[in-house]
Amino acid sequence: MQIPGHIEPVVTPRVQVPRADGRVELVGLSKPEIRAALASAGLDLKAARLRAKQIWHWIYNRGVSDFAAMTDIAKVQQPWLAERFVISRPAIVTAQTSTDGTRKWLLKGADGEEFEMVFIPDADRGTLCVSSQVGCTLNCRFCYTGTMRLVRNLSPAEIVGQVMLARDSLSEWPSSTEGRLLTNIVMMGMGEPLYNFDNVRDALKIVMDGDGLALSKRRITLSTSGVVPMIARAGEEIGVNLAVSLHAVTKEIRDEIVPLNRKYGLEELLAACAAYPGANNARRITFEYVMLAGKNDSDDDARELVRLLKAYRLPAKVNLIPFNPWPGAAYETSPPERVKAFSNIVFEAGISAPIRTPRGRDIMAACGQLKSASVKLSRAELDRIAEDKQAALG
Ligand code: SAH
Ligand code: SF4
């Protein structure tokens, strides 16, 4: 039994488990870390610097994972590198394609823990939805991932690895290819990215590096359920677009559906958003709002949403998400006319409020439908997990 108030639901960073074969994984290391790894294996500093630069380019610009294919590295040195280092990807357990073209992959880390990633192709862009944790320590009541018991943080290698796997399957190497399909990244898969801050930051820095995957910070969005103390750091140290899972405009309802609200309330959250470094009218903060029938979808809710966004002078756009159902969920999707009416009220106040088209529902790839554990839990078990997580929130 957990004692309420005594436990912070933050995942303790896990020390990287060394590989059984003793080799060092290079994916997920920064350039200076690769340099240091090469130097500690015996290269002199000058050679380490040159090799690190070359290897970085092969890994992130060309998608190469075999040292023997690195043609600008001396043939004799290639096996030396292969004995000491490895460039790998998460393993693919299953890959599915939806009738609407959305693709979902179930992936596996070296310890067997599973997580998912989703690719959503559109006419003018392709968005990769990336996971940051296995499961989630939070338990938003409408989210399938929140019912998962097992949680660990994904490593930088596993986060960057998702982007690399997507490039592999879209045949998009080298990175400089014009007109590529993967144009945007959203940290909206499994997990709360701001509870895995260091790994998410380190991974996104690699993803943004110009001599590599080279995705601009303007094409990356990080979504948080409202981990207030980490929002300023996200702006300063990562600098990507911010999305906030607001979902309710009163304390009573947000406490219920996003229990983290009991720890960091609405006012605190909106104030942190107003201070988000880099947010302005050209780069707005996205407020996600899941439409739950009879719960948060009234005209009054829409008007209160407008009032709050204006009161905090937020450069905001609102993303209305029809609730995506999952087995055992306690909510229903608001009727389309309700969603439309809600959207109109927000639009008329001068705030953009598009309705998100659900994608990949047939393969359980839509927002809030990701869950990797194969075990099916009963309603009572789901409630117990929710209670434990709430107790941990204090
Ligand atoms: N943990 C982060 C990011 C992952 S969830 C967060 O909560 O922001 C991505 C988005 O999907 C969030 O806005 C989340 O609230 C929303 N979501 C979760 N479950 C959903 C469901 N069943 N239907 C629609 N949206 C959902
Ligand atoms: Fe976690 Fe986000 Fe799901 Fe909430 S909505 S349980 S924070 S993944």
Side-chain angles (χ1 to χ4, degrees):
M1 182 65 198
Q2 289 170 327
I3 308 157
H6 284 236
I7 300 145
E8 177 73 16
V10 177
V11 188
T12 340
R14 221 179 47 138
V15 182
Q16 286 287 314
V17 182
R19 290 172 52 92
D21 64 9
R23 291 190 292 170
V24 173
E25 174 63 71
L26 292 180
V27 175
L29 299 187
S30 65
K31 274 179 199 160
E33 285 168 341
I34 295 183
R35 220 179 289 146
L38 293 170
S40 67
L43 291 190
D44 67 55
L45 276 182
K46 194 161 161 262
R49 185 170 304 129
L50 172 67
R51 289 286 176 255
K53 195 168 182 297
Q54 291 168 316
I55 291 172
W56 180 277
H57 185 82
W58 284 111
I59 299 179
Y60 294 114
N61 193 289
R62 308 294 291 273
V64 164
S65 46
D66 181 0
F67 292 101
M70 301 184 179
T71 48
D72 56 0
I73 292 177
K75 275 243 172 322
V76 288
Q77 200 168 57
Q78 291 167 354
W80 183 88
L81 286 167
E83 274 168 32
R84 291 161 180 80
F85 301 101
V86 63
I87 298 162
S88 64
R89 310 272 198 268
I92 298 178
V93 182
T94 53
Q96 288 171 277
T97 305
S98 154
T99 49
D100 69 18
T102 300
R103 298 167 71 178
K104 180 172 92 168
W105 291 263
L106 177 62
L107 307 175
K108 192 160 74 172
D111 62 355
E113 291 290 3
E114 295 177 341
F115 50 99
E116 295 184 308
M117 74 169 186
V118 176
F119 180 69
I120 308 139
D122 270 307
D124 59 341
R125 64 167 73 186
T127 306
L128 187 70
C129 181
V130 171
S131 290
S132 56
Q133 299 182 311
V134 174
C136 186
T137 47
L138 300 174
N139 66 317
C140 305
R141 297 302 298 225
F142 47 79
C143 175
Y144 204 21
T145 309
T147 67
M148 281 181 69
R149 211 192 307 256
L150 280 173
V151 176
R152 77 160 168 85
N153 281 333
L154 293 181
S155 66
E158 289 165 329
I159 298 170
V160 179
Q162 295 174 60
V163 183
M164 297 173 70
L165 271 177
R167 280 268 167 89
D168 290 348
S169 46
L170 298 167
S171 306
E172 297 210 297
W173 300 107
S175 279
S176 52
T177 320
E178 287 294 310
R180 53 196 189 193
L181 294 170
L182 198 179
T183 59
N184 292 62
I185 289 182
V186 292
M187 295 302 301
M188 294 188 188
M190 294 163 63
E192 167 49 59
L194 295 189
Y195 274 158
N196 184 15
F197 185 84
D198 290 359
N199 291 352
V200 166
R201 176 199 54 207
D202 294 351
L204 289 181
K205 287 222 147 106
I206 293 173
V207 170
M208 291 187 280
D209 188 285
D211 179 30
L213 296 162
L215 270 128
S216 134
K217 64 179 185 179
R218 288 167 201 285
R219 292 187 172 273
I220 303 176
T221 301
L222 183 149
S223 175
T224 178
S225 54
V227 184
V228 170
M230 301 308 287
I231 288 180
R233 280 188 68 193
E236 283 150 18
E237 297 177 37
I238 313 177
V240 296
N241 302 320
L242 181 68
V244 172
S245 296
L246 196 64
H247 303 317
V249 290
T250 62
K251 174 168 167 50
E252 189 202 346
I253 304 293
R254 197 162 192 271
D255 275 356
E256 177 192 332
I257 67 178
V258 184
L260 186 63
N261 196 63
R262 296 174 198 177
K263 197 172 175 99
Y264 309 117
L266 268 170
E267 288 76 20
E268 234 183 303
L269 173 59
L270 294 174
C273 292
Y276 186 71
N280 54 48
N281 278 330
R283 263 186 104 198
R284 291 164 189 275
I285 296 174
T286 303
F287 289 90
E288 295 156 289
Y289 200 99
V290 63
M291 298 296 289
L292 306 172
K295 183 54 74 181
N296 64 354
D297 62 351
S298 71
D299 286 354
D300 279 350
D301 289 318
R303 284 190 281 266
E304 178 61 6
L305 176 59
V306 168
R307 192 192 68 76
L308 283 173
L309 296 178
K310 295 208 162 167
Y312 285 85
R313 298 170 172 275
L314 284 157
K317 56 187 173 198
V318 173
N319 218 323
L320 298 176
I321 319 174
F323 168 66
N324 293 308
W326 41 269
Y331 301 107
E332 280 177 36
T333 313
S334 306
E337 348 36 285
R338 185 84 300 273
V339 183
K340 190 85 201 101
F342 193 107
S343 166
N344 285 344
I345 292 174
V346 181
F347 259 119
E348 275 156 26
I351 300 167
S352 152
I355 301 161
R356 196 184 286 176
T357 313
R359 298 288 302 268
R361 272 185 178 175
D362 56 334
I363 55 165
M364 291 289 286
C367 299
Q369 291 186 316
L370 303 184
K371 174 167 173 164
S372 53
S374 48
V375 277
K376 291 254 186 315
L377 300 178
S378 68
R379 184 69 249 172
E381 284 169 309
L382 292 180
D383 286 344
R384 206 171 48 243
I385 291 172
E387 272 167 28
D388 283 353
K389 288 187 179 185
Q390 255 156 50
L393 267 177

